[in-house]
Amino acid sequence: MTQSAELDALRGLVRLLVHDLRNPLGAVMTNLEFARGALVEKGALDVDVGEALADSQLGCEVLRLLLGNLEVLGSEANWPIFAQRFAMEPLCIEVLERHQARAHQVGVVLAYEASPITRPTNTDRRMLALVLDNLISNAIQHAPRGTTVTFSVREDRGRARVAVVDRGAAIAPELRSLALSASGQLGVARSVGTRYGRGAGLHAAKVVADRLGVELLLSGDGATSELAALVELEPV
């Protein structure tokens, strides 16, 4: 078998593993929610059990994100795009709510700011959500306890600018390309300020963004970091 064929087989195996892992993960998430609801209905959900269930559900959400990244990183960057027309703000709110519990768990406030966007976008909604999930997850991971992470969306010259600002150290300009690369998530590169995220989050976000035609911008200075995605809106 050639090296190329072996690589294709490995990618196929990774996709299969992701599929196989999603099924039991979905069952665990459903059963945790059912258990919480049943205990609440019976008045038997004490504080310790509630915290245990909440921690388990948060762990499942982390695994869900990691599997999404693994699916992307285990595939060539030419997977099909299932484009649809949708408004940006409902997607942003959906992503925001998914991360509120995690932010609360680590002592970070997750705030939302939005300006009206009157035009929809036309892209793969699930994959764009994965980009935004990774940006927020990175900000929550690096924000100091007791600080606020601000998630915002506004129109910017025909594009929706979705930005996450936190008080963790910004990535230096000379390291921003490295931070979005696979090598930037490994070894020595992680120790020089590339803001490693769980599941190689910034690199996965970059791979998906490039496929969708979304521009990623890393900016900020000193103790303030901004991670932004610029998403094309439909013309007037």
Side-chain angles (χ1 to χ4, degrees), residues 122-144:
N122 192 333
T123 189
D124 191 315
R125 193 178 191 276
R126 182 177 76 90
M127 299 310 289
L128 180 57
L130 183 63
V131 173
L132 303 184
D133 276 331
N134 276 299
L135 298 187
I136 290 185
S137 180
N138 186 279
I140 291 173
Q141 181 178 336
H142 288 275

Side-chain angles (χ1 to χ4, degrees), residues 202-216:
L202 291 183
H203 177 55
K206 172 65 172 173
V207 171
V208 178
D210 285 350
R211 179 72 178 116
L212 298 180
V214 170
E215 184 179 1
L216 285 189

Side-chain angles (χ1 to χ4, degrees), residues 61 64 84 86-101 110 112 114 124-133 136 151 153 162:
E61 282 296 331
R64 182 197 59 79
Q84 58 181 300
F86 60 91
M88 282 297 304
E89 189 170 359
L91 173 64
C92 290
I93 293 172
E94 176 185 310
V95 171
L96 177 86
E97 291 177 348
R98 193 155 52 228
H99 292 270
Q100 285 285 10
L110 187 53
Y112 179 62
D124 191 315
R125 193 178 191 276
R126 182 177 76 90
M127 299 310 289
L128 180 57
L130 183 63
V131 173
L132 303 184
D133 276 331
I136 290 185
F151 182 51
V153 57
V162 187

Side-chain angles (χ1 to χ4, degrees), residues 130-168:
L130 183 63
V131 173
L132 303 184
D133 276 331
N134 276 299
L135 298 187
I136 290 185
S137 180
N138 186 279
I140 291 173
Q141 181 178 336
H142 288 275
R145 190 175 186 85
T147 62
T148 297
V149 171
T150 302
F151 182 51
S152 65
V153 57
R154 61 181 174 84
E155 190 168 338
D156 182 6
R157 290 172 291 183
R159 296 188 290 183
R161 183 186 181 96
V162 187
V164 189
V165 177
D166 66 79
R167 296 291 294 173

